[in-house]
Amino acid sequence: MANNDASFLKLFLAPVAKYLDDDSVSEILVNGPNQIYVERKGKLELCPEHFPNEASLKAAAVNIARSVERILDDMYPDLDARLPDGSRVHATIPPISRVGTIISIRKFKKDALSLDSLMKFGSFTEDGAKILNALVKLRKNIIVSGGTGSGKTTVLNCLSSLIPEKDRILVLEDSSELQLKQPHSVYFETRKPDKNGKGEFSIRNLLIASLRLRPDRIVVGEIRGGEAIDLLQAMNTGHDGSMSTIHANTPQDTLARLETCAIMSGIEMPLSAIRSQVAGAVHAIVQTARLMDGSRKVISIAEVMPLDENKDYRVRELYRWKTTRVDAEGHLEGHHELAERPTFMDMAKVMQLDMPWS
Ligand SMILES: Nc1ncnc2c1ncn2[C@@H]1O[C@H](COP(=O)(O)OP(=O)(O)O)[C@@H](O)[C@H]1O
Ligand SMILES: [Mg+2]
């Protein structure tokens, strides 16, 4: 089927066709007919190409919408769609966008970075990998936290690759990005409401449905809002070994952010109860960041401890990145180091897991 690849895209988007074919390009950003950027290795590059004019660019966007049976017009000036090849397309037409039609294409990554390649890139060391492996094998509930583009989804994908093959894994996402190797992985994707506001199927709906599908592990692509409460409840009711990502800058922040998201669910619950839920549900946080030199790293792995006597969150850092020097060109020197001993060392020994501590 011709529609099963991105060939029709290339037809509509002739000026950027070569970037659609170029595997080193992860994202294509068209800001009106006269400005095109692409992302390569996390860096944006301005391209020399242009569209002939706004009318042809807008026609391309409308055709893309039609090809996925969606509408893009004056009434519905905004399109967010997944293409048959897995890429995401977002398009906005004037007057909502002021420079002309905007199109962004996030290409589907064919092979996600493996644990070994992340180690090679210096994202974490062998010690870090051992800790991550232990967290997954001991069925800890893990949240990967970090800024946009800091490598959260990549790390989540690596963590999920450490899940034993015998487990039944349910993967719930807004747009399909994760690629698990395990044969017993079952994928779900949310659905946006249609133009009449009907038919939405959210991460919350998926979480509730998934609990009836006998999951051994639940992997949620990203927590952005009220679905936090459903994930926390799932984690607190025996679905250990689940994992997700969230936008936050430190492990402490992650817990506060989860709390805020849980409150967004509208569920009436005293703050102290929500905090106990958060602290009880989440066992570990893996913090990612994009550093000054553009490198992406795991900058902290922390264990979540029970609330203190003031009902505040407590974390215990097990592993961290330490920057020791930044030169004038912004080059970074530093190293990963072990911090505190995990509280689960005894269990890790029982399970004969290789740990950086003895
Ligand atoms: N450690 C790394 N080194 C190099 N590139 C990375 C690393 N981690 C992630 N990437 C790349 O960075 C981009 C953004 O990563 P992603 O995991 O999608 O970030 P996030 O989920 O935080 O937005 C992807 O193209 C990914 O392949
Ligand atoms: Mg992501």
Side-chain angles (χ1 to χ4, degrees):
M1 257 187 14
N3 245 18
N4 236 338
D5 57 23
S7 58
F8 68 99
L9 250 194
K10 278 182 241 164
L11 209 69
F12 300 145
L13 298 171
V16 296
K18 71 175 206 213
Y19 302 117
L20 288 164
D21 281 331
D22 183 343
D23 282 340
S24 71
V25 170
S26 52
E27 221 161 325
I28 302 170
L29 306 167
V30 179
N31 305 330
N34 297 318
Q35 192 184 59
I36 299 169
Y37 283 94
V38 295
E39 189 189 78
R40 267 200 187 96
K41 295 194 176 131
K43 293 216 164 72
L44 288 178
E45 298 168 15
L46 182 63
C47 307
E49 288 80 8
H50 299 278
F51 279 81
N53 50 50
E54 166 58 21
S56 70
L57 174 58
K58 183 175 169 185
V62 170
N63 280 328
I64 291 169
R66 270 196 205 127
S67 69
V68 290
E69 286 163 36
R70 299 276 292 277
I71 293 169
L72 185 68
D73 63 13
D74 290 347
M75 272 301 280
Y76 307 101
D78 184 78
L79 170 79
D80 183 21
R82 186 162 71 94
L83 301 179
D85 73 340
S87 330
R88 302 288 308 185
V89 172
H90 197 109
T92 313
I93 56 172
I96 307 301
S97 60
R98 292 173 52 191
V99 289
T101 296
I102 309 275
I103 302 180
S104 77
I105 299 167
R106 186 159 182 174
K107 294 211 262 172
F108 187 71
K109 259 227 143 71
K110 284 171 203 117
D111 3 68
L113 294 167
S114 66
L115 207 70
D116 284 340
S117 35
L118 284 185
M119 265 194 278
K120 254 186 236 134
F121 290 159
S123 179
F124 44 81
T125 56
E126 205 165 323
D127 281 352
K130 284 180 184 169
I131 303 170
L132 296 178
N133 179 56
L135 292 174
V136 175
K137 297 293 177 348
L138 293 171
R139 304 191 67 91
K140 300 292 180 192
N141 291 324
I142 308 170
I143 302 287
V144 182
S145 126
T148 306
S150 62
K152 299 183 293 296
T153 304
T154 306
V155 168
L156 180 65
N157 204 59
C158 287
L159 286 175
S160 61
S161 74
L162 297 164
I163 296 175
E165 293 236 324
K166 64 176 178 28
D167 286 359
R168 171 171 163 86
I169 312 166
L170 302 191
V171 183
L172 321 183
E173 295 178 276
D174 276 320
S175 64
S176 137
E177 287 185 283
L178 297 168
Q179 304 166 50
L180 278 64
K181 298 273 184 313
Q182 292 86 338
H184 205 159
S185 316
V186 191
Y187 294 85
F188 297 86
E189 202 176 65
T190 56
R191 184 172 65 193
K192 300 223 158 174
D194 68 11
K195 59 187 165 70
N196 301 312
K198 293 223 168 66
E200 178 177 17
F201 212 80
S202 65
I203 289 280
R204 292 197 77 172
N205 299 131
L206 281 178
L207 265 165
I208 293 160
S210 69
L211 294 182
R212 295 192 285 262
L213 295 172
R214 202 204 156 276
D216 289 316
R217 309 258 192 168
I218 301 173
V219 179
V220 178
E222 186 168 2
I223 295 295
R224 293 194 179 87
E227 67 273 13
I229 195 78
D230 304 281
L231 180 64
L232 293 172
Q233 277 168 358
M235 287 174 160
N236 268 325
T237 52
H239 296 282
D240 279 353
S242 296
M243 42 185 93
S244 188
T245 73
I246 202 166
H247 192 290
N249 294 324
T250 64
Q252 279 279 352
D253 242 22
T254 303
L255 298 168
R257 179 78 197 132
L258 273 168
E259 178 181 309
T260 309
C261 288
I263 292 168
M264 283 159 74
S265 70
I267 279 181
E268 302 267 335
M269 205 190 273
L271 186 60
S272 62
I274 293 185
R275 288 206 168 170
S276 312
Q277 285 252 9
V278 171
V282 181
H283 302 135
I285 295 167
V286 179
Q287 184 69 44
T288 61
R290 214 175 144 198
L291 302 184
M292 265 197 284
D293 61 352
S295 66
R296 293 176 172 91
K297 289 191 195 305
V298 167
I299 56 161
S300 178
I301 304 176
E303 221 184 313
V304 180
M305 308 301 288
L307 295 175
D308 69 11
E309 59 275 15
N310 301 320
K311 300 270 176 215
D312 283 327
Y313 296 117
R314 280 192 305 146
V315 296
R316 180 183 177 97
E317 195 167 52
L318 310 179
Y319 179 79
R320 65 176 153 245
W321 167 260
K322 209 168 168 171
T323 301
T324 49
R325 205 175 95 97
V326 186
D327 70 16
E329 278 102 61
H331 297 304
L332 266 174
E333 276 173 36
H335 56 266
H336 282 100
E337 62 185 22
L338 295 175
E340 288 191 81
R341 230 175 117 85
T343 62
F344 52 79
M345 275 304 293
D346 287 351
M347 208 49 217
K349 275 190 192 139
V350 171
M351 301 263 300
Q352 299 172 48
L353 297 169
D354 191 8
M355 293 293 279
W357 294 269
S358 56

